[in-house]
Amino acid sequence: TLAQKLKIKESESERSNERADGIECKFIEIEDELKEVGQKQQNLEVGEEKSLEREEVLQRQIKELLTKLSNANVRSENAEMDIGRLNVRIDKVEEDLVIEKTKIQQVSDDLNKCFDDMLYI
Protein backbone atom coordinates (compact mmCIF):
# COMPACT_ATOMS: atom_id res chain seq x y z
CA THR A 1 0.00 0.00 0.00
CA LEU A 2 2.96 2.09 -0.57
CA ALA A 3 1.43 2.89 -3.92
CA GLN A 4 -1.71 4.17 -2.19
CA LYS A 5 0.35 6.33 0.14
CA LEU A 6 2.28 7.66 -2.84
CA LYS A 7 -0.98 8.37 -4.64
CA ILE A 8 -2.35 10.17 -1.57
CA LYS A 9 0.84 12.18 -1.21
CA GLU A 10 0.78 13.08 -4.91
CA SER A 11 -2.85 14.13 -4.57
CA GLU A 12 -2.03 16.22 -1.48
CA SER A 13 0.96 17.68 -3.29
CA GLU A 14 -1.23 18.58 -6.26
CA ARG A 15 -3.79 20.27 -4.00
CA SER A 16 -1.00 22.08 -2.17
CA ASN A 17 0.41 23.26 -5.49
CA GLU A 18 -3.07 24.42 -6.59
CA ARG A 19 -3.54 26.26 -3.30
CA ALA A 20 -0.07 27.76 -3.63
CA ASP A 21 -0.92 28.89 -7.17
CA GLY A 22 -4.19 30.40 -5.92
CA ILE A 23 -2.39 32.15 -3.07
CA GLU A 24 0.25 33.40 -5.50
CA CYS A 25 -2.49 34.81 -7.76
CA LYS A 26 -4.12 36.51 -4.78
CA PHE A 27 -0.72 37.81 -3.70
CA ILE A 28 -0.17 39.29 -7.18
CA GLU A 29 -3.67 40.85 -7.09
CA ILE A 30 -2.94 42.33 -3.67
CA GLU A 31 0.39 43.70 -4.92
CA ASP A 32 -1.41 45.32 -7.89
CA GLU A 33 -4.01 46.81 -5.55
CA LEU A 34 -1.22 48.04 -3.29
CA LYS A 35 0.47 49.72 -6.27
CA GLU A 36 -2.83 51.40 -7.20
CA VAL A 37 -3.32 52.55 -3.61
CA GLY A 38 0.26 53.89 -3.59
CA GLN A 39 -0.36 55.82 -6.81
CA LYS A 40 -3.62 57.20 -5.47
CA GLN A 41 -1.86 58.22 -2.27
CA GLN A 42 0.84 60.00 -4.27
CA ASN A 43 -1.85 61.79 -6.29
CA LEU A 44 -3.60 62.80 -3.08
CA GLU A 45 -0.33 64.07 -1.60
CA VAL A 46 0.35 66.13 -4.73
CA GLY A 47 -3.22 67.44 -4.60
CA GLU A 48 -2.80 68.26 -0.92
CA GLU A 49 0.42 70.17 -1.64
CA LYS A 50 -1.30 72.14 -4.40
CA SER A 51 -4.25 72.83 -2.08
CA LEU A 52 -1.92 74.05 0.66
CA GLU A 53 -0.07 76.30 -1.79
CA ARG A 54 -3.37 77.67 -3.08
CA GLU A 55 -4.57 78.22 0.49
CA GLU A 56 -1.39 80.17 1.28
CA VAL A 57 -1.85 82.30 -1.85
CA LEU A 58 -5.48 82.97 -0.95
CA GLN A 59 -4.58 83.83 2.64
CA ARG A 60 -1.96 86.29 1.36
CA GLN A 61 -4.55 87.82 -0.98
CA ILE A 62 -7.06 88.10 1.87
CA LYS A 63 -4.44 89.79 4.06
CA GLU A 64 -3.56 92.23 1.25
CA LEU A 65 -7.23 92.98 0.61
CA LEU A 66 -7.88 93.56 4.32
CA THR A 67 -4.92 95.95 4.42
CA LYS A 68 -6.24 97.78 1.35
CA LEU A 69 -9.71 97.95 2.93
CA SER A 70 -8.25 99.35 6.13
CA ASN A 71 -6.28 101.95 4.17
CA ALA A 72 -9.37 102.83 2.13
CA ASN A 73 -11.36 103.28 5.34
CA VAL A 74 -8.70 105.60 6.76
CA ARG A 75 -8.64 107.61 3.52
CA SER A 76 -12.44 107.76 3.55
CA GLU A 77 -12.50 109.05 7.13
CA ASN A 78 -9.84 111.65 6.28
CA ALA A 79 -11.78 112.71 3.19
CA GLU A 80 -14.96 113.09 5.26
CA MET A 81 -13.09 115.27 7.78
CA ASP A 82 -11.65 117.33 4.90
CA ILE A 83 -15.14 117.75 3.46
CA GLY A 84 -16.41 118.89 6.85
CA ARG A 85 -13.60 121.45 7.13
CA LEU A 86 -14.23 122.64 3.56
CA ASN A 87 -17.96 123.00 4.24
CA VAL A 88 -17.18 125.14 7.30
CA ARG A 89 -14.79 127.21 5.21
CA ILE A 90 -17.37 127.57 2.41
CA ASP A 91 -19.97 128.71 4.95
CA LYS A 92 -17.49 131.29 6.30
CA VAL A 93 -16.65 132.51 2.77
CA GLU A 94 -20.38 132.78 1.96
CA GLU A 95 -20.94 134.79 5.15
CA ASP A 96 -18.00 137.05 4.27
CA LEU A 97 -19.41 137.45 0.76
CA VAL A 98 -22.81 138.48 2.11
CA ILE A 99 -21.11 140.95 4.45
CA GLU A 100 -19.02 142.38 1.60
CA LYS A 101 -22.09 142.62 -0.65
CA THR A 102 -23.88 144.44 2.10
CA LYS A 103 -20.92 146.81 2.49
CA ILE A 104 -20.80 147.35 -1.29
CA GLN A 105 -24.53 148.00 -1.33
CA GLN A 106 -24.13 150.46 1.55
CA VAL A 107 -21.29 152.26 -0.27
CA SER A 108 -23.38 152.28 -3.45
CA ASP A 109 -26.35 153.70 -1.57
CA ASP A 110 -24.12 156.31 0.08
CA LEU A 111 -22.67 157.28 -3.31
CA ASN A 112 -26.13 157.50 -4.85
CA LYS A 113 -27.27 159.68 -1.97
CA CYS A 114 -24.17 161.81 -2.34
CA PHE A 115 -24.78 162.20 -6.10
CA ASP A 116 -28.43 162.97 -5.48
CA ASP A 117 -27.44 165.55 -2.88
CA MET A 118 -24.98 167.08 -5.32
CA LEU A 119 -27.60 167.27 -8.03
CA TYR A 120 -30.10 169.03 -5.85
CA ILE A 121 -27.75 171.46 -4.26
PDB file of all heavy atoms in Angstrom, residues 65-92:
ATOM      1  N   LEU A  65      -5.949  92.301   0.798  1.00  0.00           N
ATOM      2  CA  LEU A  65      -7.231  92.984   0.608  1.00  0.00           C
ATOM      3  C   LEU A  65      -7.709  93.641   1.906  1.00  0.00           C
ATOM      4  O   LEU A  65      -8.260  94.753   1.877  1.00  0.00           O
ATOM      5  CB  LEU A  65      -8.281  92.001   0.086  1.00  0.00           C
ATOM      6  CG  LEU A  65      -8.081  91.537  -1.362  1.00  0.00           C
ATOM      7  CD1 LEU A  65      -9.076  90.429  -1.706  1.00  0.00           C
ATOM      8  CD2 LEU A  65      -8.221  92.694  -2.331  1.00  0.00           C
ATOM      9  N   LEU A  66      -7.491  92.963   3.037  1.00  0.00           N
ATOM     10  CA  LEU A  66      -7.880  93.559   4.316  1.00  0.00           C
ATOM     11  C   LEU A  66      -7.052  94.819   4.595  1.00  0.00           C
ATOM     12  O   LEU A  66      -7.572  95.818   5.095  1.00  0.00           O
ATOM     13  CB  LEU A  66      -7.716  92.545   5.458  1.00  0.00           C
ATOM     14  CG  LEU A  66      -8.753  91.418   5.490  1.00  0.00           C
ATOM     15  CD1 LEU A  66      -8.394  90.387   6.559  1.00  0.00           C
ATOM     16  CD2 LEU A  66     -10.141  91.976   5.737  1.00  0.00           C
ATOM     17  N   THR A  67      -5.768  94.773   4.248  1.00  0.00           N
ATOM     18  CA  THR A  67      -4.920  95.954   4.416  1.00  0.00           C
ATOM     19  C   THR A  67      -5.415  97.089   3.521  1.00  0.00           C
ATOM     20  O   THR A  67      -5.518  98.238   3.966  1.00  0.00           O
ATOM     21  CB  THR A  67      -3.450  95.605   4.080  1.00  0.00           C
ATOM     22  OG1 THR A  67      -3.019  94.559   4.954  1.00  0.00           O
ATOM     23  CG2 THR A  67      -2.546  96.803   4.232  1.00  0.00           C
ATOM     24  N   LYS A  68      -5.717  96.761   2.267  1.00  0.00           N
ATOM     25  CA  LYS A  68      -6.236  97.782   1.348  1.00  0.00           C
ATOM     26  C   LYS A  68      -7.548  98.354   1.858  1.00  0.00           C
ATOM     27  O   LYS A  68      -7.784  99.566   1.764  1.00  0.00           O
ATOM     28  CB  LYS A  68      -6.429  97.192  -0.050  1.00  0.00           C
ATOM     29  CG  LYS A  68      -5.132  96.946  -0.785  1.00  0.00           C
ATOM     30  CD  LYS A  68      -5.377  96.353  -2.160  1.00  0.00           C
ATOM     31  CE  LYS A  68      -4.086  96.071  -2.899  1.00  0.00           C
ATOM     32  NZ  LYS A  68      -4.331  95.493  -4.230  1.00  0.00           N
ATOM     33  N   LEU A  69      -8.420  97.481   2.385  1.00  0.00           N
ATOM     34  CA  LEU A  69      -9.706  97.947   2.926  1.00  0.00           C
ATOM     35  C   LEU A  69      -9.474  98.884   4.100  1.00  0.00           C
ATOM     36  O   LEU A  69     -10.109  99.947   4.191  1.00  0.00           O
ATOM     37  CB  LEU A  69     -10.559  96.755   3.354  1.00  0.00           C
ATOM     38  CG  LEU A  69     -11.895  97.077   4.018  1.00  0.00           C
ATOM     39  CD1 LEU A  69     -12.801  97.832   3.058  1.00  0.00           C
ATOM     40  CD2 LEU A  69     -12.564  95.806   4.515  1.00  0.00           C
ATOM     41  N   SER A  70      -8.563  98.507   4.976  1.00  0.00           N
ATOM     42  CA  SER A  70      -8.250  99.354   6.133  1.00  0.00           C
ATOM     43  C   SER A  70      -7.727 100.708   5.667  1.00  0.00           C
ATOM     44  O   SER A  70      -8.153 101.760   6.171  1.00  0.00           O
ATOM     45  CB  SER A  70      -7.228  98.654   7.016  1.00  0.00           C
ATOM     46  OG  SER A  70      -6.854  99.476   8.079  1.00  0.00           O
ATOM     47  N   ASN A  71      -6.813 100.695   4.705  1.00  0.00           N
ATOM     48  CA  ASN A  71      -6.280 101.954   4.166  1.00  0.00           C
ATOM     49  C   ASN A  71      -7.382 102.784   3.522  1.00  0.00           C
ATOM     50  O   ASN A  71      -7.422 104.011   3.668  1.00  0.00           O
ATOM     51  CB  ASN A  71      -5.161 101.680   3.163  1.00  0.00           C
ATOM     52  CG  ASN A  71      -3.916 101.105   3.816  1.00  0.00           C
ATOM     53  OD1 ASN A  71      -3.726 101.245   5.013  1.00  0.00           O
ATOM     54  ND2 ASN A  71      -3.086 100.453   3.027  1.00  0.00           N
ATOM     55  N   ALA A  72      -8.263 102.121   2.784  1.00  0.00           N
ATOM     56  CA  ALA A  72      -9.371 102.834   2.135  1.00  0.00           C
ATOM     57  C   ALA A  72     -10.292 103.453   3.185  1.00  0.00           C
ATOM     58  O   ALA A  72     -10.772 104.585   3.003  1.00  0.00           O
ATOM     59  CB  ALA A  72     -10.149 101.884   1.228  1.00  0.00           C
ATOM     60  N   ASN A  73     -10.522 102.732   4.280  1.00  0.00           N
ATOM     61  CA  ASN A  73     -11.362 103.282   5.344  1.00  0.00           C
ATOM     62  C   ASN A  73     -10.713 104.507   5.970  1.00  0.00           C
ATOM     63  O   ASN A  73     -11.391 105.505   6.254  1.00  0.00           O
ATOM     64  CB  ASN A  73     -11.647 102.220   6.416  1.00  0.00           C
ATOM     65  CG  ASN A  73     -12.670 101.207   5.968  1.00  0.00           C
ATOM     66  OD1 ASN A  73     -13.504 101.490   5.116  1.00  0.00           O
ATOM     67  ND2 ASN A  73     -12.622 100.017   6.525  1.00  0.00           N
ATOM     68  N   VAL A  74      -9.409 104.448   6.192  1.00  0.00           N
ATOM     69  CA  VAL A  74      -8.697 105.597   6.761  1.00  0.00           C
ATOM     70  C   VAL A  74      -8.793 106.786   5.805  1.00  0.00           C
ATOM     71  O   VAL A  74      -9.076 107.920   6.224  1.00  0.00           O
ATOM     72  CB  VAL A  74      -7.223 105.233   7.063  1.00  0.00           C
ATOM     73  CG1 VAL A  74      -6.401 106.481   7.367  1.00  0.00           C
ATOM     74  CG2 VAL A  74      -7.148 104.241   8.202  1.00  0.00           C
ATOM     75  N   ARG A  75      -8.551 106.525   4.503  1.00  0.00           N
ATOM     76  CA  ARG A  75      -8.645 107.613   3.516  1.00  0.00           C
ATOM     77  C   ARG A  75     -10.060 108.188   3.475  1.00  0.00           C
ATOM     78  O   ARG A  75     -10.250 109.402   3.347  1.00  0.00           O
ATOM     79  CB  ARG A  75      -8.233 107.102   2.139  1.00  0.00           C
ATOM     80  CG  ARG A  75      -6.749 106.910   1.975  1.00  0.00           C
ATOM     81  CD  ARG A  75      -6.316 106.747   0.522  1.00  0.00           C
ATOM     82  NE  ARG A  75      -7.127 105.858  -0.263  1.00  0.00           N
ATOM     83  CZ  ARG A  75      -6.919 104.549  -0.410  1.00  0.00           C
ATOM     84  NH1 ARG A  75      -5.898 103.961   0.177  1.00  0.00           N
ATOM     85  NH2 ARG A  75      -7.718 103.811  -1.164  1.00  0.00           N
ATOM     86  N   SER A  76     -11.045 107.306   3.578  1.00  0.00           N
ATOM     87  CA  SER A  76     -12.437 107.760   3.553  1.00  0.00           C
ATOM     88  C   SER A  76     -12.735 108.658   4.750  1.00  0.00           C
ATOM     89  O   SER A  76     -13.361 109.719   4.602  1.00  0.00           O
ATOM     90  CB  SER A  76     -13.364 106.541   3.554  1.00  0.00           C
ATOM     91  OG  SER A  76     -14.699 106.924   3.712  1.00  0.00           O
ATOM     92  N   GLU A  77     -12.284 108.227   5.937  1.00  0.00           N
ATOM     93  CA  GLU A  77     -12.499 109.052   7.133  1.00  0.00           C
ATOM     94  C   GLU A  77     -11.801 110.398   6.992  1.00  0.00           C
ATOM     95  O   GLU A  77     -12.369 111.440   7.346  1.00  0.00           O
ATOM     96  CB  GLU A  77     -11.990 108.314   8.376  1.00  0.00           C
ATOM     97  CG  GLU A  77     -12.830 107.120   8.763  1.00  0.00           C
ATOM     98  CD  GLU A  77     -12.209 106.290   9.889  1.00  0.00           C
ATOM     99  OE1 GLU A  77     -11.198 106.731  10.476  1.00  0.00           O
ATOM    100  OE2 GLU A  77     -12.746 105.209  10.165  1.00  0.00           O
ATOM    101  N   ASN A  78     -10.567 110.382   6.479  1.00  0.00           N
ATOM    102  CA  ASN A  78      -9.838 111.646   6.280  1.00  0.00           C
ATOM    103  C   ASN A  78     -10.558 112.540   5.277  1.00  0.00           C
ATOM    104  O   ASN A  78     -10.650 113.760   5.465  1.00  0.00           O
ATOM    105  CB  ASN A  78      -8.406 111.375   5.814  1.00  0.00           C
ATOM    106  CG  ASN A  78      -7.545 110.789   6.913  1.00  0.00           C
ATOM    107  OD1 ASN A  78      -7.854 110.921   8.085  1.00  0.00           O
ATOM    108  ND2 ASN A  78      -6.466 110.130   6.525  1.00  0.00           N
ATOM    109  N   ALA A  79     -11.056 111.930   4.203  1.00  0.00           N
ATOM    110  CA  ALA A  79     -11.777 112.706   3.185  1.00  0.00           C
ATOM    111  C   ALA A  79     -13.043 113.318   3.784  1.00  0.00           C
ATOM    112  O   ALA A  79     -13.378 114.482   3.497  1.00  0.00           O
ATOM    113  CB  ALA A  79     -12.117 111.822   1.988  1.00  0.00           C
ATOM    114  N   GLU A  80     -13.745 112.548   4.631  1.00  0.00           N
ATOM    115  CA  GLU A  80     -14.955 113.088   5.258  1.00  0.00           C
ATOM    116  C   GLU A  80     -14.622 114.268   6.170  1.00  0.00           C
ATOM    117  O   GLU A  80     -15.345 115.264   6.202  1.00  0.00           O
ATOM    118  CB  GLU A  80     -15.670 111.982   6.038  1.00  0.00           C
ATOM    119  CG  GLU A  80     -16.364 110.971   5.148  1.00  0.00           C
ATOM    120  CD  GLU A  80     -16.981 109.812   5.916  1.00  0.00           C
ATOM    121  OE1 GLU A  80     -16.974 109.828   7.162  1.00  0.00           O
ATOM    122  OE2 GLU A  80     -17.483 108.885   5.254  1.00  0.00           O
ATOM    123  N   MET A  81     -13.495 114.151   6.913  1.00  0.00           N
ATOM    124  CA  MET A  81     -13.090 115.272   7.776  1.00  0.00           C
ATOM    125  C   MET A  81     -12.712 116.482   6.926  1.00  0.00           C
ATOM    126  O   MET A  81     -13.069 117.621   7.259  1.00  0.00           O
ATOM    127  CB  MET A  81     -11.927 114.856   8.677  1.00  0.00           C
ATOM    128  CG  MET A  81     -12.340 113.895   9.778  1.00  0.00           C
ATOM    129  SD  MET A  81     -11.058 113.592  11.033  1.00  0.00           S
ATOM    130  CE  MET A  81      -9.812 112.732  10.078  1.00  0.00           C
ATOM    131  N   ASP A  82     -12.017 116.224   5.807  1.00  0.00           N
ATOM    132  CA  ASP A  82     -11.649 117.325   4.903  1.00  0.00           C
ATOM    133  C   ASP A  82     -12.900 117.996   4.357  1.00  0.00           C
ATOM    134  O   ASP A  82     -12.971 119.233   4.267  1.00  0.00           O
ATOM    135  CB  ASP A  82     -10.785 116.814   3.749  1.00  0.00           C
ATOM    136  CG  ASP A  82      -9.378 116.438   4.188  1.00  0.00           C
ATOM    137  OD1 ASP A  82      -8.972 116.833   5.302  1.00  0.00           O
ATOM    138  OD2 ASP A  82      -8.688 115.734   3.400  1.00  0.00           O
ATOM    139  N   ILE A  83     -13.885 117.194   3.981  1.00  0.00           N
ATOM    140  CA  ILE A  83     -15.137 117.747   3.457  1.00  0.00           C
ATOM    141  C   ILE A  83     -15.818 118.597   4.521  1.00  0.00           C
ATOM    142  O   ILE A  83     -16.321 119.697   4.230  1.00  0.00           O
ATOM    143  CB  ILE A  83     -16.070 116.608   2.976  1.00  0.00           C
ATOM    144  CG1 ILE A  83     -15.515 115.995   1.697  1.00  0.00           C
ATOM    145  CG2 ILE A  83     -17.488 117.113   2.762  1.00  0.00           C
ATOM    146  CD1 ILE A  83     -16.228 114.718   1.259  1.00  0.00           C
ATOM    147  N   GLY A  84     -15.815 118.104   5.757  1.00  0.00           N
ATOM    148  CA  GLY A  84     -16.413 118.889   6.846  1.00  0.00           C
ATOM    149  C   GLY A  84     -15.715 120.226   7.013  1.00  0.00           C
ATOM    150  O   GLY A  84     -16.366 121.276   7.144  1.00  0.00           O
ATOM    151  N   ARG A  85     -14.369 120.199   7.001  1.00  0.00           N
ATOM    152  CA  ARG A  85     -13.604 121.453   7.131  1.00  0.00           C
ATOM    153  C   ARG A  85     -13.881 122.381   5.953  1.00  0.00           C
ATOM    154  O   ARG A  85     -14.025 123.596   6.117  1.00  0.00           O
ATOM    155  CB  ARG A  85     -12.116 121.148   7.240  1.00  0.00           C
ATOM    156  CG  ARG A  85     -11.697 120.611   8.596  1.00  0.00           C
ATOM    157  CD  ARG A  85     -10.186 120.571   8.745  1.00  0.00           C
ATOM    158  NE  ARG A  85      -9.561 119.583   7.887  1.00  0.00           N
ATOM    159  CZ  ARG A  85      -9.259 118.339   8.241  1.00  0.00           C
ATOM    160  NH1 ARG A  85      -9.534 117.922   9.460  1.00  0.00           N
ATOM    161  NH2 ARG A  85      -8.687 117.514   7.393  1.00  0.00           N
ATOM    162  N   LEU A  86     -13.948 121.815   4.745  1.00  0.00           N
ATOM    163  CA  LEU A  86     -14.226 122.643   3.562  1.00  0.00           C
ATOM    164  C   LEU A  86     -15.627 123.251   3.630  1.00  0.00           C
ATOM    165  O   LEU A  86     -15.823 124.405   3.232  1.00  0.00           O
ATOM    166  CB  LEU A  86     -14.058 121.814   2.286  1.00  0.00           C
ATOM    167  CG  LEU A  86     -12.613 121.467   1.915  1.00  0.00           C
ATOM    168  CD1 LEU A  86     -12.596 120.513   0.726  1.00  0.00           C
ATOM    169  CD2 LEU A  86     -11.820 122.732   1.597  1.00  0.00           C
ATOM    170  N   ASN A  87     -16.591 122.461   4.111  1.00  0.00           N
ATOM    171  CA  ASN A  87     -17.955 123.003   4.239  1.00  0.00           C
ATOM    172  C   ASN A  87     -17.991 124.163   5.220  1.00  0.00           C
ATOM    173  O   ASN A  87     -18.659 125.178   4.978  1.00  0.00           O
ATOM    174  CB  ASN A  87     -18.929 121.903   4.656  1.00  0.00           C
ATOM    175  CG  ASN A  87     -19.314 121.001   3.510  1.00  0.00           C
ATOM    176  OD1 ASN A  87     -19.262 121.406   2.347  1.00  0.00           O
ATOM    177  ND2 ASN A  87     -19.694 119.776   3.808  1.00  0.00           N
ATOM    178  N   VAL A  88     -17.253 124.035   6.328  1.00  0.00           N
ATOM    179  CA  VAL A  88     -17.184 125.137   7.304  1.00  0.00           C
ATOM    180  C   VAL A  88     -16.542 126.356   6.642  1.00  0.00           C
ATOM    181  O   VAL A  88     -17.024 127.487   6.790  1.00  0.00           O
ATOM    182  CB  VAL A  88     -16.382 124.694   8.558  1.00  0.00           C
ATOM    183  CG1 VAL A  88     -16.027 125.886   9.435  1.00  0.00           C
ATOM    184  CG2 VAL A  88     -17.164 123.652   9.337  1.00  0.00           C
ATOM    185  N   ARG A  89     -15.482 126.111   5.891  1.00  0.00           N
ATOM    186  CA  ARG A  89     -14.789 127.213   5.213  1.00  0.00           C
ATOM    187  C   ARG A  89     -15.693 127.867   4.168  1.00  0.00           C
ATOM    188  O   ARG A  89     -15.724 129.105   4.034  1.00  0.00           O
ATOM    189  CB  ARG A  89     -13.516 126.679   4.557  1.00  0.00           C
ATOM    190  CG  ARG A  89     -12.620 127.743   4.065  1.00  0.00           C
ATOM    191  CD  ARG A  89     -11.252 127.212   3.742  1.00  0.00           C
ATOM    192  NE  ARG A  89     -10.474 128.221   3.058  1.00  0.00           N
ATOM    193  CZ  ARG A  89      -9.532 127.979   2.186  1.00  0.00           C
ATOM    194  NH1 ARG A  89      -9.224 126.742   1.897  1.00  0.00           N
ATOM    195  NH2 ARG A  89      -8.874 128.944   1.609  1.00  0.00           N
ATOM    196  N   ILE A  90     -16.430 127.039   3.421  1.00  0.00           N
ATOM    197  CA  ILE A  90     -17.371 127.574   2.413  1.00  0.00           C
ATOM    198  C   ILE A  90     -18.429 128.438   3.093  1.00  0.00           C
ATOM    199  O   ILE A  90     -18.760 129.535   2.616  1.00  0.00           O
ATOM    200  CB  ILE A  90     -18.018 126.432   1.603  1.00  0.00           C
ATOM    201  CG1 ILE A  90     -16.989 125.823   0.642  1.00  0.00           C
ATOM    202  CG2 ILE A  90     -19.241 126.916   0.841  1.00  0.00           C
ATOM    203  CD1 ILE A  90     -17.453 124.537  -0.023  1.00  0.00           C
ATOM    204  N   ASP A  91     -18.958 127.929   4.214  1.00  0.00           N
ATOM    205  CA  ASP A  91     -19.966 128.706   4.948  1.00  0.00           C
ATOM    206  C   ASP A  91     -19.392 130.063   5.378  1.00  0.00           C
ATOM    207  O   ASP A  91     -20.055 131.100   5.254  1.00  0.00           O
ATOM    208  CB  ASP A  91     -20.458 127.931   6.183  1.00  0.00           C
ATOM    209  CG  ASP A  91     -21.307 126.725   5.818  1.00  0.00           C
ATOM    210  OD1 ASP A  91     -21.765 126.649   4.647  1.00  0.00           O
ATOM    211  OD2 ASP A  91     -21.513 125.846   6.687  1.00  0.00           O
ATOM    212  N   LYS A  92     -18.139 130.050   5.870  1.00  0.00           N
ATOM    213  CA  LYS A  92     -17.494 131.294   6.297  1.00  0.00           C
ATOM    214  C   LYS A  92     -17.298 132.241   5.115  1.00  0.00           C
ATOM    215  O   LYS A  92     -17.574 133.445   5.204  1.00  0.00           O
ATOM    216  CB  LYS A  92     -16.139 130.963   6.958  1.00  0.00           C
ATOM    217  CG  LYS A  92     -15.324 132.148   7.354  1.00  0.00           C
ATOM    218  CD  LYS A  92     -15.950 132.894   8.514  1.00  0.00           C
ATOM    219  CE  LYS A  92     -15.014 133.992   8.976  1.00  0.00           C
ATOM    220  NZ  LYS A  92     -15.672 135.253   9.147  1.00  0.00           N
TER     221      LYS A  92
END
